[in-house]
Amino acid sequence: MKKVALLFPGQGSQMTGMGKWFYDRYPIAKRTFEEADDVLGWKVTDACFHGPIAELTSTDVAQPALLTASMAMYRVYMEEIGIHPFAAAGHSLGEYSALCGAGAISFAEALKLVHFRGQTMKAAAELGTGTMLAVGGIDYLSTEEQLAYFASIREEICVACYNGPDQIVVSGTFPAMERVESHFRKLGAKVTNLQVGAPFHHPLMQSAAEELKCRLEQVAFKPLQYKVLSNVTGHAIDASKQSLVEELTRQMTQPVQWHKSMNVLHYWGIEQAIELGPKTVLKQLLKSNDAIDTYAYDVAEDRRRLAGNISVQAGNPIRGDHPIAKLVAIAVSEPNRHPDDPEARQGVLEPYQQLLDLRGRLAQQNKQPDPEDIRQGLQWLRTILHRKGVPPEQQLSRLAEANLI
């Protein structure tokens, strides 16, 4: 099986209607949106599905909305495809989605964090309102040389993201950005105004970073289930609590090293990258890397292509409607009601790994499970659900929903 990386987009990828296709077709996606509504106490679902885009672009709304849409797609991906990634990377806000998927923080905690993050960033932006521009078509070294001219005359601008060999994002105050845009258009660069509500990854976000750090220090981070790349360094995150607090704090005012992260994925031998979120921004940024086959899960043709390629790799593996695949999907999709109990978390790992091993053996042999396989699989699943604190009636409901009882 090829090495897989999951990619999660950040602010600017929001769009009216995001996630609705998945909401309408997958119970796990619907439950994800409903959980977001319940946790935050306002209709994230309505913001995602109906907008308007001006409201959806507001930082305090956009961040939890994007996280919700991305995690809904992540859960559908795990249910339908089920291949655990070697690594994940998230662009700016998307780093929270990557950490959530990797198990460092629960979905509920991630929602609260990014909502708070969005509120503090919106308040900071009101102190020095600005915006962001993507500058492409010229290599980033030339772009930085041009920006040095503006820095020398004290314009309030900085590089916010190194997205690729020929695209960077510039952040700053509106008056400064007007001059930057005019300058680069005269040079023949492609300049795009981003749908963001503030100058992110800029010193203007320092007050927000300080507030966020206090909030992050209250979080009980958990071990990562796979590698997650840092926006700040471009390399794998040190998963200790203090390092995560520093990482997510520094990320607020320092540039996103996305191009470096994608080079690290290449160095690790990643062959497939799957963007989980609205639009195809991250897929487009990886176009120049021929070694990594990239898919946008929000695009129907890409989902079909991914399913076909996975089938070829595994020699006609288990489909999503296979009984053991359904057991795995239920195990993954049910949230842990005891997220802060290390014994409960540890108690889930062994039966879950046994369930995965069973699925893998059947896929390798290209066979259907016999009654003993299903009996053993159901026993492991019941152990998982019990240790996650899933109520007995909910357990029966999930098994009936999957036609397993």
Side-chain angles (χ1 to χ4, degrees):
M1 189 65 68
K2 293 181 178 180
K3 276 187 178 179
V4 170
L6 303 180
L7 309 179
F8 296 91
Q11 207 163 335
S13 287
Q14 69 273 7
M15 58 183 287
T16 303
M18 63 183 184
K20 191 169 190 311
W21 188 89
F22 295 91
Y23 176 95
D24 289 340
R25 289 163 177 80
Y26 294 95
I28 184 61
K30 184 176 182 180
R31 286 195 295 274
T32 301
F33 278 95
E34 290 172 345
E35 183 180 353
D37 291 349
D38 292 342
V39 168
L40 294 177
W42 52 273
K43 287 290 187 179
V44 179
T45 304
D46 286 349
C48 288
F49 297 168
H50 308 298
I53 192 62
E55 178 184 342
L56 192 53
T57 299
S58 179
T59 307
D60 55 331
V61 176
Q63 296 198 20
L66 278 164
L67 174 78
T68 302
S70 285
M71 290 313 298
M73 291 186 205
Y74 170 80
R75 289 172 170 179
V76 171
Y77 163 81
M78 293 304 299
E79 190 172 272
E80 288 291 291
I81 304 296
I83 297 177
H84 282 250
F86 179 82
H91 195 288
S92 189
L93 166 72
E95 192 165 2
Y96 288 81
S97 301
L99 289 169
C100 183
I105 43 178
S106 68
F107 179 49
E109 183 67 83
L111 281 167
K112 294 171 187 174
L113 272 175
V114 301
H115 188 222
F116 179 81
R117 181 179 186 264
Q119 289 174 318
T120 61
M121 292 171 78
K122 183 177 181 181
E126 290 172 356
L127 300 176
T129 304
T131 189
M132 302 173 78
L133 299 170
V135 180
I138 56 178
D139 68 82
Y140 71 79
L141 291 176
S142 297
T143 307
E144 283 192 313
E145 288 175 0
Q146 297 296 324
L147 288 174
Y149 165 74
F150 290 94
S152 70
I153 57 173
R154 296 177 176 272
E155 295 284 17
E156 293 181 341
I157 59 171
C158 67
V159 176
C161 310
Y162 294 94
N163 280 343
D166 62 352
Q167 188 194 90
I168 68 170
V169 174
V170 185
S171 184
T173 61
F174 279 119
M177 296 298 277
E178 287 176 2
R179 288 188 276 276
V180 168
E181 180 175 6
S182 175
H183 179 76
F184 279 107
R185 288 194 187 280
K186 288 176 182 176
L187 292 177
K190 181 181 178 182
V191 182
T192 305
N193 289 278
L194 300 186
Q195 287 187 339
V196 295
F200 305 144
H201 306 288
H202 187 286
L204 287 169
M205 292 292 109
Q206 184 59 43
S207 62
E210 292 168 1
E211 288 187 62
L212 179 65
K213 184 175 184 180
C214 293
R215 176 66 179 80
L216 289 166
E217 287 172 341
Q218 301 169 26
V219 176
F221 291 102
K222 303 172 187 66
L224 294 174
Q225 296 170 12
Y226 44 80
K227 298 175 187 290
V228 175
L229 288 167
S230 160
N231 275 212
V232 175
T233 68
H235 296 284
I237 288 175
D238 175 350
S240 68
K241 174 172 179 172
Q242 193 54 46
S243 294
L244 282 169
V245 170
E246 291 299 323
E247 160 71 22
L248 295 173
T249 301
R250 293 173 61 200
Q251 188 224 60
M252 295 278 279
T253 57
Q254 296 194 23
V256 175
Q257 301 288 346
W258 190 253
H259 183 45
K260 185 182 290 185
S261 291
M262 296 304 98
N263 286 339
V264 169
L265 291 183
H266 180 80
Y267 174 79
W268 283 344
I270 296 297
E271 296 168 274
Q272 292 180 324
I274 303 159
E275 181 174 5
L276 296 169
K279 297 186 178 179
T280 62
V281 172
L282 303 182
K283 176 185 174 182
Q284 298 303 318
L285 291 178
L286 258 178
K287 268 191 170 181
S288 61
N289 193 324
D290 296 333
I292 301 178
D293 194 13
T294 310
Y295 308 82
Y297 209 64
D298 199 30
V299 176
E301 179 55 36
D302 277 17
R303 290 194 300 274
R304 288 192 291 269
R305 188 166 61 92
L306 175 63
N309 286 347
I310 293 296
S311 181
V312 169
Q313 291 170 40
N316 191 26
I318 288 175
R319 291 165 44 88
D321 57 2
H322 188 285
I324 304 304
K326 289 180 179 180
L327 296 177
V328 173
I330 293 171
V332 170
S333 61
E334 275 298 329
N336 190 345
R337 271 72 168 178
H338 308 299
D340 298 323
D341 182 350
E343 290 187 9
R345 292 199 306 274
Q346 188 61 37
V348 167
L349 294 179
E350 183 178 350
Y352 180 64
Q353 187 58 55
Q354 290 171 319
L355 199 53
L356 290 179
D357 289 344
L358 173 60
R359 186 182 66 170
R361 287 196 301 273
L362 293 171
Q364 189 173 27
Q365 297 165 12
N366 192 23
K367 61 175 286 192
Q368 291 290 316
D370 58 32
E372 176 58 24
D373 290 328
I374 293 176
R375 185 200 67 77
Q376 183 64 77
L378 279 168
Q379 181 178 325
W380 286 327
L381 176 61
R382 288 191 172 101
T383 299
I384 293 167
L385 297 180
H386 172 72
R387 289 173 175 169
K388 282 187 169 186
V390 179
E393 62 274 14
Q394 174 72 2
Q395 295 183 33
L396 291 173
S397 173
R398 292 306 312 277
L399 292 172
E401 178 185 297
N403 295 320
L404 292 169
I405 57 173

